[in-house]
Amino acid sequence: MVRKFLSGLLGGITPAARFRHACRLLEHEGRSAQGFALLGRLARGGMVAAQYQVARAYLDGNGVPRSPVEGVRWMHVAARAGHVEACFSLALMLLVDPPGRGGDHRGADGLLPVAWPEGIDQWPDPAAATGWARQAAEGGLPDAQALYGYLLATGPQSVRDPQAARMWCERAAQAGCPQGDLGLAVTHFAVSGQMPGSDPDAVAALIRAAESGLPTAQYMLGLLHDRGWGLPLDMAQAEQWYARAAVQGVRPAQARYGALLLKDGDGRPRNAMTAETWLRRAALAGDREAAALLGDLHVHGEAALPGDHEAMIWYRRAAAQDHAVACRMLALLYMHGRGAAADPVQARHWLERAAELGDVAAMTDLAASLVAQGREACSAPDARLPDFMPAARAGDPVAAFNLAVCLHDGVGGVTDQAQAASWMERAARAGVVNAEYWYGRMLLKGDGVAADPDQARCWLERAAGHGLAEACVAAAQLRLEGLGGPRDHAGALALYHRAARMGRVEAMFSLGAMYGGGHDLPPDRTQALHWFTQGAEGGNALSQFMLGRYLARGLAGPVDRARARYWLEQAAAGGVRAARDELDHMTHADEHAP
């Protein structure tokens, strides 16, 4: 006992022993405040190691109330004295937002002055961070060498030195630092001007960094597999690397992982529920693409709790970051009163914004809105009709489409069906999807051009292949009838399914009719009832009529005369005469029932 007391007493004489004792107390639960007090005395006495530990204690709130500003002050004192870890820590801090922003910047317990330390004039300050990283790198700290190399490659122009960047990253990698391997890859991608993945050494370094667990490297490796840059195009590998980075909080990895889960993989069905989880994380962190995809999930009814109001929230997030498609989707929601009251002014605003951002579909929708306004709009005093001719003649395919629409419907006072067909063909051949659909319809009807069902079917199927819902419906009808090519009921069914997923109620009716029998497909009245129900709830009068008949006659389940009468009345109000006859038949049967 006496020996232990004497050992502690003698050990407390040397500053090094007092420092070790203070550090032990700082890590001891219940005695951290005592340890901090001892470190504070040593720090004020000029011990550099103690100054660094005081800085960390303030930053972590260990043994003292957390004070980022005080932590920075002590870190700066230790760094100026040459403490390698302090130099590295200060470099990292100067690359991000100021500590304590919006909080309390006063000194804590009078230990430190209120003013910022000399030498810190702005925050963040990449140039100053580069200087501190250099000191730490020269001090032999591998992590600092990797950071210094990265800053020399991607930092302010005044500090860039590509050759030195590679040298420092190689030094860090040789010391076994994964960040050095990541730095080698990043510096190559940043300064070479070549396609990412073109340097095998850089790719190998990236693989080492990813396998070491660095989430940024894992995301980048997923991107190389996703795009086929320097590595085989392999979506399964891309998905695995994105998933690993997503778990560690890399926002773009979360967004890409969620997007891939929405696609059918090799032997793996799409997983909308898990995708929604990751997209939500990324969107809440500010990823605009993830927000737009969440809007799509809600508007198509694929979210866990789908709703147009939620779709509008996510589209608005993406639109606020100039996501063109999200702007157009917002316009459509306002146009149709989905998720909010119909608002033509807001619809026009977001459609114009989408067009300004280069969305081709928005441009065509604007042209279509001019057509919808028609001659009445042309004669209005404040009508503003753009002149599409100069841009169309200069080769702009979207302008050619808009010009064709105007010539076809007389928007602007001139109607010329032949010229409309000519300009529409130019736009279609240039890949404007709406033009492909319009031109196909014109060929089918002989509208301004000689009728050609074969070519019409070709153009309509091309537009359908690009995902245009109305083109899917039109192309399906041609396959169903065998017009412009062979009859293909299975192909028609697939096209109707695609259009139905995009909300086209007429496609839902057609699916119900095809599953109901009379086609080159096995009848499935359960499926027929399902699609008639979907179409009826979407407002399609023919679907309402068929749903009423199915319910009245028990064609795919028990008879439900109350619901049958409701839907038949809806269909009759929608102009289906046969629905009135069916209602009369039901009434007659009810009157003569025993």
Side-chain angles (χ1 to χ4, degrees):
M1 189 73 177
V2 173
R3 182 178 299 174
K4 183 176 181 181
F5 171 77
L6 290 175
S7 175
L9 183 64
L10 292 173
I13 294 175
T14 66
R18 290 200 300 272
F19 173 72
R20 291 193 297 272
H21 181 57
C23 289
R24 286 194 295 270
L25 291 176
L26 191 66
E27 299 303 321
H28 190 283
E29 186 175 356
R31 303 190 68 183
S32 58
Q34 183 182 353
F36 178 79
L38 291 174
L39 284 172
R41 287 196 289 272
L42 291 170
R44 288 194 297 273
M47 181 182 284
V48 178
Q51 292 166 353
Y52 173 66
Q53 291 298 330
V54 165
R56 290 185 54 188
Y58 270 119
L59 292 171
D60 297 337
N62 186 14
V64 67
R66 185 174 183 274
S67 176
V69 175
E70 308 293 10
V72 171
R73 295 182 195 282
W74 276 113
M75 196 66 75
H76 189 261
V77 169
R80 291 184 65 181
H83 194 280
V84 174
E85 286 85 357
C87 291
F88 177 58
S89 298
L90 191 59
L92 290 174
M93 288 188 288
L94 283 167
L95 291 172
V96 297
D97 286 336
R101 172 174 282 181
D104 187 1
H105 286 244
R106 295 173 299 173
D109 302 326
L111 183 64
L112 295 170
V114 175
W116 284 104
E118 181 183 353
I120 298 182
D121 301 318
Q122 62 181 8
W123 206 303
D125 190 343
T130 304
W132 291 114
R134 178 182 57 79
Q135 289 193 41
E138 291 173 346
L141 192 65
D143 285 346
Q145 293 167 347
L147 176 63
Y148 184 45
Y150 172 80
L151 291 172
L152 290 174
T154 64
Q157 198 63 42
S158 60
V159 304
R160 290 193 184 186
D161 187 337
Q163 291 183 343
R166 188 173 185 87
M167 182 269 290
W168 282 107
C169 288
E170 285 176 346
R171 187 177 294 184
Q174 289 167 3
C177 176
Q179 286 83 357
D181 283 318
L182 176 60
L184 278 174
V186 171
T187 53
H188 173 77
F189 298 159
V191 305
S192 68
Q194 301 174 7
M195 178 180 292
S198 59
D199 181 357
D201 290 338
V203 173
L206 185 64
I207 292 173
R208 289 195 299 270
E211 290 176 344
S212 297
L214 291 185
T216 301
Q218 292 167 347
Y219 165 66
M220 292 175 64
L221 193 56
L223 198 61
L224 295 189
H225 279 296
D226 193 352
R227 306 292 171 83
W229 291 340
L231 290 171
L233 185 66
D234 188 332
M235 301 313 294
Q237 280 291 311
E239 185 176 310
Q240 290 181 23
W241 287 113
Y242 283 147
R244 292 175 66 174
V247 169
Q248 298 192 68
V250 178
R251 187 191 77 188
Q254 293 170 343
R256 286 297 302 149
Y257 182 45
L260 287 185
L261 289 172
L262 291 177
K263 299 178 180 179
D264 292 324
D266 295 334
R268 174 191 58 75
R270 67 199 304 269
N271 188 339
M273 184 172 294
T274 305
E276 182 182 356
T277 299
W278 287 108
L279 291 172
R280 185 179 293 272
R281 291 189 187 184
L284 290 174
D287 191 284
R288 67 175 193 169
E289 193 62 40
L293 286 173
L294 279 171
D296 292 343
L297 284 177
H298 280 279
V299 86
H300 294 144
E302 294 182 289
L305 295 172
D308 290 337
H309 177 69
E310 278 289 310
M312 183 166 279
I313 290 173
W314 293 113
Y315 282 139
R316 190 177 292 280
R317 275 180 177 263
Q321 299 178 69
D322 291 339
H323 192 287
V325 174
C327 292
R328 174 163 53 85
M329 292 304 297
L330 262 183
L332 294 176
L333 291 176
Y334 275 118
M335 191 180 299
H336 298 291
R338 293 178 56 180
D343 189 334
V345 175
Q346 281 291 317
R348 180 71 180 222
H349 164 74
W350 287 111
L351 202 59
E352 289 177 345
R353 182 61 185 142
E356 289 172 3
L357 293 169
D359 186 80
V360 173
M363 297 176 191
T364 59
D365 287 343
L366 278 174
S369 71
L370 293 176
V371 173
Q373 295 168 27
R375 296 181 183 276
E376 182 179 343
C378 297
S379 60
D382 59 346
R384 293 186 302 161
L385 298 176
D387 181 6
F388 297 116
M389 182 65 79
R393 285 177 172 166
D396 185 336
V398 176
F401 169 74
N402 291 337
L403 176 61
V405 171
C406 292
L407 289 169
H408 183 273
D409 288 274
V411 176
V414 177
T415 302
D416 189 328
Q417 304 299 332
Q419 279 293 308
S422 175
W423 285 109
M424 195 66 75
E425 182 183 7
R426 291 194 197 186
R429 293 191 182 281
V432 177
V433 178
N434 289 61
E436 294 170 352
Y437 169 69
W438 272 66
Y439 189 52
R441 298 290 294 181
M442 294 170 84
L443 285 166
L444 190 64
K445 297 177 181 179
D447 185 3
V449 65
D452 188 338
D454 291 356
Q455 281 297 305
R457 181 163 169 172
C458 176
W459 283 108
L460 289 171
E461 295 205 348
R462 183 170 173 177
H466 289 140
L468 193 65
E470 49 265 53
C472 292
V473 173
Q477 190 66 30
L478 295 185
R479 289 194 182 201
L480 199 63
E481 298 173 358
L483 188 60
R487 281 164 50 99
D488 179 8
H489 285 198
L493 187 75
L495 286 167
Y496 281 135
H497 268 290
R498 188 184 303 177
R501 285 196 298 269
M502 291 183 276
R504 303 294 296 200
V505 291
E506 66 270 39
M508 298 173 191
F509 167 75
S510 296
L511 285 171
M514 293 190 73
Y515 281 118
H519 296 85
D520 299 337
L521 299 166
D524 186 339
R525 286 186 171 176
T526 301
Q527 278 292 308
L529 178 64
H530 166 77
W531 285 111
F532 285 141
T533 302
Q534 295 294 309
E537 291 175 349
N540 182 265
L542 290 174
S543 295
Q544 292 166 347
F545 168 62
M546 290 302 299
L547 177 58
R549 290 190 66 185
Y550 266 57
L551 293 170
R553 303 182 184 190
L555 296 178
V559 171
D560 189 336
R561 297 180 71 81
R563 287 184 63 215
R565 183 173 293 278
Y566 169 80
W567 285 114
L568 288 169
E569 288 174 348
Q570 294 295 312
V576 180
R577 290 186 179 182
R580 178 54 57 192
D581 296 337
E582 193 77 21
L583 282 167
D584 291 343
H585 175 76
M586 287 183 65
T587 301
H588 180 75
D590 291 342
E591 290 173 349
H592 293 83

